[in-house]
Amino acid sequence: MSEPLKTVSLDPAGIGAPRLAPSTLGEILDRTVQLYRTRFLLYLGISLVPSVLVVVPLVVFFLLLASFGLFAPTPATPPTAGIVVILVFAVLGLLAAPVLLGAMALSSAAMNYAVSRAYLGERTTIRDAYKTVLRQGWRYTFLLFLEGLIVYAAPIAVWTALIAISAVGAAVGQSAGLNSLTSGALFALAIFLVITGLAAYVVWMLLRLCLAFPACVVEQIPATAALKRSSALSKGTKGRIFLLYILGLALNWLVSIGITVPLTIVMAQIPDSGSAKHAAAAGTATILIIYGTGFIVQALIKPIYGIALTLFYYDQRIRQEGFDIEWMMQRAGMVVPPVTASEAQQPIPVQPSTQIPSPAEGEVK
């Protein structure tokens, strides 16, 4: 009897022919830690790109506010100057939003590509990962945009509409002489039910669409098809992915505390001169530390989600489609691998045997 397939076991370098099989949540988490540990700089470098694009403008923004003295106990400039600065950076932020959206989409796609290569026993670099996904950058940006619309924009729009309807209903109730205590209780109950329903919707849609990026990157399919593909692949594993998100939130909280608390202690040890200039500098430094810590934590935690979700994607393909058998047959040369979009765009050379000679070339051989 042949030995049953087991979960992939990587060598210290993380390279080797994979041995695929359905994995439990514990095995996926162990594999995630192993991949992250053996390729820490690779995944961290990929996740740092969008964080840098956000941190640098914010640092400039806060330094500019500090130059106006807006963090001092008694600002040296009128409040209108600060309002003008905030408005200017709000406009610049709106203009930079598409760039940030594209950077986040490329970062997620590059992460999925790098994890996919590692899962199949191959190597890649930060440059190669971004260079590969950049060819389909518009596709991944559109996919992230659709996910944002479905998961977050839709419930926000519903919430806004319900608030407007509730305000109109409260006004009508008061004009009709309805008891304020009764109307207040009904309004609070309605708000609670709406918030609970919208939160459940966000979680459910996030679990349904979380495998869209791995499907889009690995299978080279359009954004809308990737959303449908994720909905199909996530069946039967939403509970495990939900536990992954819970563990990720707990880890995010622990890492944030581990970074923020030592920095706060260091800031507290700085002697206070009692001057307004010192207070303004301390306020600016505190705000920069808070926001900088958030982005550092995001850069450290984001690879964990990218690695684990890609592993969930392959695990679901193994469970639903027999990807392990397909991979073994492909490595044995029994199945021709599908042509990717980049390969399909390359010109196919014409073989001499398929060329039709013109009449001027003589008789047909």
Side-chain angles (χ1 to χ4, degrees):
M1 180 180 297
S2 60
E3 181 183 358
L5 292 175
K6 299 180 181 179
T7 309
V8 178
S9 178
L10 296 178
D11 55 24
I15 301 297
R19 300 173 64 191
L20 313 179
S23 303
T24 63
L25 176 61
E27 291 172 336
I28 290 178
L29 295 178
D30 289 341
R31 184 77 187 284
T32 300
V33 173
Q34 189 179 17
L35 285 174
Y36 196 15
R37 178 177 57 83
T38 56
R39 292 174 171 82
F40 175 75
L41 294 179
L42 170 64
Y43 300 133
L44 181 63
I46 291 175
S47 66
L48 276 176
V49 173
S51 298
V52 170
L53 291 178
V54 175
V55 170
V56 173
L58 280 178
V59 171
V60 176
F61 172 65
F62 284 116
L63 290 178
L64 184 59
L65 291 180
S67 67
F68 279 92
L70 297 178
F71 297 121
T74 56
T77 56
T80 54
I83 295 175
V84 171
V85 173
I86 293 175
L87 290 177
V88 170
F89 273 86
V91 173
L92 293 178
L94 291 176
L95 296 177
V99 178
L100 180 59
L101 180 68
M104 294 174 60
L106 289 177
S107 176
S108 298
M111 184 71 65
N112 295 139
Y113 175 82
V115 177
S116 176
R117 295 300 90 197
Y119 182 81
L120 299 178
E122 301 176 6
R123 290 184 179 274
T124 190
T125 62
I126 299 175
R127 178 182 177 183
D128 292 338
Y130 272 103
K131 183 179 179 181
T132 301
V133 301
L134 188 60
R135 302 168 186 170
Q136 303 293 333
W138 288 108
R139 173 187 294 173
Y140 305 130
T141 304
F142 183 54
L143 175 58
L144 185 61
F145 177 73
L146 289 179
E147 287 184 346
L149 285 180
I150 296 173
V151 178
Y152 302 109
I156 291 176
V158 172
W159 171 257
T160 304
L162 289 176
I163 288 296
I165 294 174
S166 300
V168 173
V172 172
Q174 289 182 355
S175 62
L178 187 64
N179 188 349
S180 59
L181 182 61
T182 303
S183 61
L186 293 176
F187 179 76
L189 178 61
I191 290 296
F192 173 77
L193 294 177
V194 169
I195 292 177
T196 302
L198 292 179
Y201 168 84
V202 170
V203 173
W204 180 256
M205 294 307 299
L206 186 63
L207 296 176
R208 286 191 62 180
L209 305 181
C210 62
L211 302 181
F213 257 95
C216 188
V217 173
V218 176
E219 302 177 28
Q220 289 293 288
I221 56 179
T224 53
L227 295 177
K228 297 177 182 179
R229 182 84 167 122
S230 175
S231 179
L233 287 175
S234 61
K235 292 180 180 179
T237 194
K238 291 184 179 68
R240 297 193 301 165
I241 297 178
F242 179 74
L243 291 178
L244 167 68
Y245 280 115
I246 295 297
L247 294 175
L249 290 176
L251 182 61
N252 193 322
W253 181 72
L254 291 175
V255 174
S256 299
I257 293 179
I259 296 178
T260 305
V261 171
L263 290 177
T264 304
I265 294 175
V266 171
M267 290 292 298
Q269 302 304 317
I270 299 177
D272 187 4
S273 62
S275 63
K277 184 177 181 180
H278 180 274
T284 304
T286 301
I287 294 176
L288 289 176
I289 288 174
I290 292 174
Y291 280 94
T293 299
F295 287 109
I296 291 174
V297 172
Q298 179 68 18
L300 290 173
I301 300 299
K302 184 179 178 180
I304 296 178
Y305 289 110
I307 297 171
L309 290 177
T310 305
L311 296 181
F312 270 114
Y313 162 78
Y314 277 111
D315 183 66
Q316 287 301 104
R317 288 193 62 182
I318 291 173
R319 294 173 181 270
Q320 297 183 9
E321 305 169 351
F323 176 77
D324 50 343
I325 300 176
E326 176 185 341
W327 175 253
M328 287 190 300
M329 295 176 63
Q330 180 175 318
R331 290 186 63 86
M334 301 173 63
V335 176
V336 179
V339 179
T340 62
S342 59
E343 294 173 346
Q345 295 174 357
Q346 298 178 357
I348 301 176
V350 180
Q351 300 296 332
S353 58
T354 62
Q355 296 178 347
I356 301 177
S358 60
E361 293 179 353
E363 61 178 359
V364 179
K365 297 182 180 181

